[in-house]
Amino acid sequence: MKLRPDFEKKCLKAVINDMKREIAFGLDNAKNSEALLEADTWIDIYDKENDEIYSINYSWDWSNDEKEVSVVAYPTEEYKENGQTYIRELTTGDCVVILGDDHG
């Protein structure tokens, strides 16, 4: 799997904006910071050019002095359950590491 450079940029922009919302929420409420500190977040991003949804996982390790951010894009699939249609990431399939060395 390979992503176009313009779509990788869109993914990174979405990750940064999502991190900004998480931080603002944690600071504004002075609580609920556990999700932010856990730092393993999933967001879905639609690529209209390819008509595909990618599940983007971003994370970081607070125990590491470098605090490297990892961003990985996974393909998704639709599935039905109880008459509803859902999207799930295919973490066992091909993925694209956008930032970082590995995908955990």
Side-chain angles (χ1 to χ4, degrees):
M1 183 173 100
K2 184 160 174 55
L3 301 179
R4 295 181 326 278
D6 63 317
F7 188 68
E8 282 191 14
K9 184 177 177 181
K10 179 180 179 179
C11 292
L12 290 174
K13 191 174 183 180
V15 166
I16 290 167
N17 286 331
D18 191 69
M19 290 169 81
K20 180 181 170 188
R21 281 190 296 275
E22 289 288 336
I23 291 167
F25 180 78
L27 292 175
D28 290 346
N29 293 291
K31 59 182 181 177
N32 299 320
S33 60
E34 185 175 329
L36 178 63
L37 295 175
E38 184 180 276
D40 184 20
T41 305
W42 291 87
I43 57 175
D44 292 333
I45 300 177
Y46 176 66
D47 180 6
K48 65 181 175 183
E49 188 171 312
N50 291 333
D51 189 30
E52 292 181 312
I53 296 173
Y54 292 90
S55 195
I56 310 297
N57 175 245
Y58 67 90
S59 61
W60 56 82
D61 181 2
W62 285 103
S63 64
N64 181 344
D65 288 338
E66 296 176 15
K67 297 179 178 68
E68 181 177 292
V69 175
S70 170
V71 180
V72 182
Y74 292 92
T76 61
E77 69 177 1
E78 288 187 357
Y79 70 99
K80 295 189 183 295
E81 188 174 292
N82 299 326
Q84 298 274 358
T85 301
Y86 298 95
I87 302 285
R88 69 175 153 221
E89 65 275 356
L90 300 173
T91 57
T92 58
D94 200 9
C95 68
V96 174
V97 178
I98 300 172
L99 284 177
D101 296 348
D102 58 29
H103 55 280

